């Protein structure tokens, strides 16, 4: 994959560069980033150097993860990181990927992460052909889940012992976003299970399934 740059109203999303090392090192000293993400703890300068100088370029080259440095348009300050992880080859029938992110402490609560996520999601759906985008985080990470919900992810459950963090298995929240959730087409038709149709039916239909409501179905459409 050739590295790309995305822009939003306030942000530029571009590949990480060695010149980002200091900003990444500083941001990752935040205990919350070390607590809720997979960055090493303690986080040393060598980790930042390896991430910006080797890991990110290799990920783009090898078509594994597309790592974006999220920076402000106004002054180029680092807001955070946004990564799209390929779960299956995007040219395979699965067309699945996972979205991950962290935000520097001083840049939180400004809507930057959601703004960046929307840009990456649109790129994934319209340019890469992603047909199922997943999000997951250790159970209890309310900030990450709020961002995911804000851009349209639907929570699908809690996976027991899904994440190993600091030597301990932990439960994970899981959500997913489909192109149809954004009103976009998908190459592969989607046939929801009957349970999914029932879960998305109007309340009065779930309570009295034998009574016609006259409403259109709210089940996900086949696209």
């Amino acid at each position: 994959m050739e590295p790309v740059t995305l822009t939003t109203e306030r942000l530029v999303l571009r590949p990480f560069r060695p010149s980002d090392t200091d900003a990444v090192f500083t941001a990752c000293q935040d205990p919350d980033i070390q607590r809720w993400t997979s960055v090493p703890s303690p986080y040393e300068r060598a980790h930042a150097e390896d991430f910006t100088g080797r890991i990110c370029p290799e990920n783009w080259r090898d078509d594994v993860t597309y790592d974006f440095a999220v920076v402000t348009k106004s002054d180029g300050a680092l807001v955070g990181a946004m990564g799209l992880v390929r779960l299956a080859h995007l040219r395979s029938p699965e067309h699945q990927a996972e979205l991950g992110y962290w935000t520097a402490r001083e840049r939180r609560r400004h809507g930057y992460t959601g703004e960046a996520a929307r840009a990456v999601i649109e790129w994934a759906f319209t340019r890469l052909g992603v047909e199922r985008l997943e999000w997951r985080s250790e159970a209890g990470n309310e900030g990450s889940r709020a961002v995911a919900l804000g851009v349209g992810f639907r929570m699908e459950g809690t996976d027991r012992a899904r994440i190993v963090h600091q030597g301990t298995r932990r439960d994970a929240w899981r959500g997913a976003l489909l192109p149809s959730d954004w009103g976009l087409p998908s190459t592969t038709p989607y046939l929801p299970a009957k349970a999914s149709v029932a879960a998305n039916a109007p309340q009065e239909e779930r309570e009295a399934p034998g009574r016609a409501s006259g409403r259109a179905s709210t089940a996900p459409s086949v696209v």
Side-chain angles (χ1 to χ4, degrees):
M1 169 70 72
E2 286 295 320
V4 304
T5 296
L6 308 174
T7 60
T8 70
E9 181 181 353
R10 299 179 295 170
L11 304 170
V12 175
L13 286 71
R14 57 163 176 76
F16 278 94
R17 307 165 180 164
S19 58
D20 297 315
T21 296
D22 287 344
V24 170
F25 173 66
T26 299
C28 289
Q29 299 310 301
D30 177 17
D32 285 340
I33 291 179
Q34 295 186 25
R35 168 64 184 86
W36 295 110
T37 76
S38 60
V39 304
S41 180
Y43 195 86
E44 302 175 357
R45 182 177 173 79
H47 294 130
E49 291 173 346
D50 194 40
F51 178 71
T52 60
R54 181 186 66 83
I55 293 175
C56 292
E58 287 184 358
N59 283 345
W60 279 97
R61 184 193 66 205
D62 296 340
D63 234 13
V64 174
T65 302
Y66 312 125
D67 297 299
F68 291 94
V70 181
V71 302
T72 57
K73 274 185 177 179
S74 58
D75 59 6
L78 182 70
V79 168
M82 187 76 51
L84 189 72
V85 182
R86 194 191 70 194
L87 298 181
H89 199 291
L90 294 178
R91 287 184 288 277
S92 72
E94 287 79 11
H95 296 288
Q96 297 181 130
E98 180 179 324
L99 186 70
Y101 40 82
W102 56 256
T103 308
R105 177 181 290 274
E106 66 275 11
R107 299 293 179 171
R108 294 171 193 160
R109 297 180 177 84
H110 296 287
Y112 288 136
T113 310
E115 185 175 329
R118 289 183 186 91
V120 174
I121 291 167
E122 182 177 11
W123 176 66
F125 285 159
T126 63
R127 300 297 182 184
L128 299 184
V130 171
E131 296 186 352
R132 175 180 165 88
L133 186 58
E134 296 188 354
W135 162 91
R136 65 182 172 90
S137 179
E138 183 182 329
N141 190 347
E142 297 286 356
S144 182
R145 184 167 70 167
V147 171
L149 289 170
V151 298
F153 279 87
R154 298 186 185 184
M155 297 299 109
E156 295 186 336
T158 299
D159 298 332
R160 295 184 302 155
R162 173 71 180 270
I163 293 174
V164 177
H165 184 65
Q166 298 179 354
T168 302
R169 285 198 171 275
R170 304 166 189 260
D171 293 346
W173 286 334
R174 170 176 38 82
L177 184 67
L178 307 181
S180 57
D181 296 331
W182 270 31
L184 296 172
S186 181
T187 301
T188 308
Y190 169 41
L191 180 63
K194 290 183 179 179
S196 297
V197 174
N200 285 284
Q203 182 66 31
E204 61 268 29
E205 290 184 11
R206 296 200 297 270
E207 294 174 351
R211 176 170 57 85
S213 68
R215 290 190 186 183
S217 172
T218 58
S221 58
V222 178
V223 293

